Amino acid sequence: MNQYHKLYTPEDSAVVFIDQQPQMTFGMASGDRATMINNVTLLARVAKEFKVPAVLTAVETESFSGYIWPQLLDIFPGQPIVERSSMNSWDDAGFRKAIEATGRKNILMTGLWTEVCITWPTIEMLGAGYNIYVVEDCCGATSPAAQEAALSRMVQAGAVRLTTIAALLEWQRDWAKREHYDALMGILKQTGRRLRRRRRIRLHDGSSRAAVRAETTGGSEESGALKLDRASRGAFFPVRAVFP
């Protein structure tokens, strides 16, 4: 049976976090950075709840990229970080050893930048017999075109694209399974509240800017705020609309 013709489980999968570091984040221009950070944090928290092994790796921490986001370090305190110089994680013996130590063949990939630091190890890991799932909204590239080209290249090589919500729900699968239900729902609701607060802050800030523009251009303050409100409603998939 083709491995992609069955679902992965917490017992046969692992998740990789590649180069979630300040300089790499600054270079991301394929989407909203804050949303991507929220997605990564959400996936990491759920992975920890389901006891899915995680591999964290960073490139040139001291000389260029800076330290891994504190959000991730807080979720995995004391977790060893595979420090690298190569842009391709699979070139690094420490990274390969960390992946092998998980004992898992289904690997969920997240990180920066998609077109290099995700694509290159994905292609080589597929060649080494791993099943690779690229959580695309937990990745970021230097442009929208770079993101789409990278995803296309990985799919052509045999990887599977998916998104955060789909990735984490595959671990739960059945709402009748109560072992992780309460914790999972708590994480999802907390994430939803955080996103709604962020949206309100953005709306308030945008409304203030709209008022200044209206005053200087003679336009309507109300129309500017309403336009921003309409745009903000689609900024993130509303968790509360999907989960019981």
Side-chain angles (χ1 to χ4, degrees), residues 229-244:
D229 183 43
R230 285 195 298 271
S232 70
R233 288 174 190 165
F236 190 86
F237 196 75
V239 170
R240 62 179 176 175
V242 178
F243 304 101

Side-chain angles (χ1 to χ4, degrees), residues 1 18 26 49 83 99 111-112 141 149 151 190-191 197 233:
M1 175 187 290
I18 298 177
F26 294 153
E49 167 61 26
E83 180 68 25
I99 293 294
L112 301 167
L151 292 167
Q190 186 180 53
T191 300
R197 284 197 301 270
R233 288 174 190 165

Side-chain angles (χ1 to χ4, degrees), residues 12 15 28 31 51 71 102 107 119 130 136 148 154 164 170 197 220:
D12 66 13
V15 60
M28 174 191 166
K51 296 181 173 56
Q71 295 96 321
T102 69
I107 308 296
T119 298
Y130 290 90
E136 61 183 83
E148 189 56 39
M154 287 185 282
T164 305
E170 198 155 331
R197 284 197 301 270
S220 167

Side-chain angles (χ1 to χ4, degrees), residues 101-146:
T102 69
R104 312 296 172 86
K105 285 295 186 179
N106 295 318
I107 308 296
L108 281 66
M109 300 285 274
T110 76
L112 301 167
W113 296 323
T114 317
E115 67 266 47
V116 176
C117 302
I118 301 300
T119 298
W120 295 357
T122 289
I123 290 172
E124 296 209 307
M125 290 171 73
L126 286 165
Y130 290 90
N131 308 310
I132 305 298
Y133 300 82
V134 180
V135 190
E136 61 183 83
D137 56 355
C138 287
C139 299
T142 55
S143 70

